[in-house]
Amino acid sequence: MPFTLPSRTPSGPRRRSLLAGAAGAGTVLLAGCSDSDSASGTTSGSSSAAARARARAARDSEQLARRYEAVLAAHPALGTRLSPLLAEVVRHAEAFGGGKRAKPSADPSADASASASPTPSASASASPSPEAPATEKEARGELAAAERALADRRMKALADVPGELARLLASVAAAGAGHAFLLTEDKK
């Protein structure tokens, strides 16, 4: 009985055709995911929930900005460290559709004096102005805790909001976690 070698030609589809098919299917799936959201990032059934989530996120960022301003007013020496973080928090509030606040300047003393007089959006709010802790380290710790808590709340809200808003919440939550790290990191 003679021994026969198996054929080198596979009987099924080739690797290249499988990879091309998988890439095409992945593109279709990705296109389907991104097209399912309307231009505003919401569907008609979830637009009111998305609007509420967006308004809450804006309000939370505005409250956090007021905390930063209170700390800057109490501890002007932290201006160079906190001013960039405050500027980002203000941009976050604006990204969520919050009130347009005066942008903090690069000069810490100008920020401290500007935060002593309330901005129009801060005076229109019913929230009282937050108190700053007595020491700079406690103030940074309190701001870091507030940033972490807000980032955690935003991450939990991701499942309840549509795509574009979820991406914005996730991005701002990640920035907040980064702020918390920067606030607790001691200068070397």
Side-chain angles (χ1 to χ4, degrees):
M1 185 182 314
F3 180 72
T4 58
L5 294 173
S7 170
R8 288 185 115 8
T9 308
S11 59
R14 295 184 182 236
R15 186 179 343 172
R16 285 185 187 162
S17 59
L18 284 175
L19 290 174
T27 303
V28 169
L29 288 174
L30 288 175
C33 290
S34 63
D35 289 344
S36 67
D37 293 338
S38 67
S40 65
T42 62
T43 59
S44 61
S46 64
S47 64
S48 63
R52 284 191 307 272
R54 186 177 287 276
R56 176 170 181 163
R59 208 171 36 252
D60 288 345
S61 289
E62 289 169 348
Q63 289 173 350
L64 184 59
R66 282 192 292 278
R67 290 179 102 162
Y68 271 95
E69 290 167 348
V71 168
L72 281 169
H75 305 287
L78 288 174
T80 56
R81 189 170 191 173
L82 298 185
S83 292
L85 303 179
L86 171 59
E88 281 194 21
V89 170
V90 169
R91 281 192 300 271
H92 296 161
E94 291 171 357
F96 288 119
K100 305 297 183 215
R101 300 170 60 91
K103 297 249 192 261
S105 68
D107 180 17
S109 60
D111 286 334
S113 63
S115 64
S117 61
T119 61
S121 64
S123 61
S125 172
S127 302
S129 183
E131 295 285 325
T135 68
E136 290 181 3
K137 186 173 183 172
E138 288 173 348
R140 286 187 298 117
E142 184 181 277
L143 285 173
E147 286 273 16
R148 272 193 293 286
L150 186 53
D152 290 344
R153 233 181 11 251
R154 287 176 170 161
M155 291 302 289
K156 288 177 185 170
L158 290 179
D160 301 329
V161 296
E164 200 58 42
L165 181 55
R167 285 187 279 277
L168 180 59
L169 276 173
S171 176
V172 172
H179 292 178
F181 172 78
L182 291 172
L183 288 164
T184 57
E185 183 181 48
D186 288 327
K187 292 184 179 182
K188 296 178 180 173

